[in-house]
Amino acid sequence: MNWNCILERVAETESTNDDLMARWRTGALIDPISRLAKHQTKGKGRSGRHWFAEPNSSLSFSLAYPFDQTQQSLHGLSLVCGLAVIQGISKSLGLDEMSLRQHGLSLKWPNDLLIKERKLGGILIEGGKLAGSNPNERIWVIIGIGMNLSHSKSLEDAAQLPISALSELNHKHMPMEADLVWLAILNALGDYLELFAKKGFAPFRSQWDFWDAYRDQPVSISESGVVKQTGIAHGINEEGALLLQVPGNSELMAIYAGDVSLRKHL
């Protein structure tokens, strides 16, 4: 580790995010802390969806991280975390980013990692500022990251959608222990979150464009399973909002809402 972060490993827990959220609610968080679970029994994704994970075939961890900025200034945080995860993958597998992109690794706005359009992992961000807290108190965010390390038919059956796994990118057959991938991602998160805290999302925009899975493609924007809008995805703005070209509208629509899913519109 090249930055100050407390590390915790547990054999089993319901949710690493919930574990750290409980500490946040009681004011027990002091320094950045990351909690890794060998097995999560009640992992979760966005919008209350269940995140399926299995021991030895999945990576599940959370990071509690403080910001001195306002809540409004944290737009684009999940996208920055996605970039940091890719950097960690690059380091842990010993592959440069161009090679990873050529092998199908990409990012789906706002918080999914894909390999050839099949889900590799996801990012869930919770936390904020407690009600009634001092206006000068720091904002704590809980960043949950889940990733498939190897293929599991039972995991794919449980998720009921095609999944991918980090093992697909491991062409050099490097050791792929969960701890090693975890530490590589945490190292990258330390650098990326520090820069984000200083300069916001703008410095990451071009990098995210490189990994964008659906740029210039027709897409559907859904909320709670209901299609709200269709159009052409035109990347993101300097705050990390999705830019959508809507039929009949010459101006691009900026979408900031957190409970949004992006799918190819056929």
Side-chain angles (χ1 to χ4, degrees), residues 14 39 58 87 91 101 111 137 164 169 185 215 251:
E14 290 187 352
H39 181 42
S58 302
Q87 178 67 19
K91 293 295 184 183
R101 190 69 178 95
N111 67 341
E137 285 186 15
S164 57
L169 303 174
I185 293 174
R215 186 179 178 88
E251 295 185 3

Side-chain angles (χ1 to χ4, degrees), residues 133-144:
S133 62
N134 187 315
N136 296 323
E137 285 186 15
R138 297 184 295 179
I139 292 175
W140 280 92
V141 296
I142 313 300
I143 304 164

Side-chain angles (χ1 to χ4, degrees), residues 10-28:
V10 294
E12 182 177 306
T13 190
E14 290 187 352
S15 164
T16 55
N17 254 44
D18 285 351
D19 292 345
L20 296 183
M21 286 285 287
R23 299 182 199 181
W24 166 65
R25 292 189 181 98
T26 59

Side-chain angles (χ1 to χ4, degrees), residues 19 21 100 118 135 163 249:
D19 292 345
M21 286 285 287
L100 291 174
R118 292 171 293 117
I163 65 171
N249 192 338

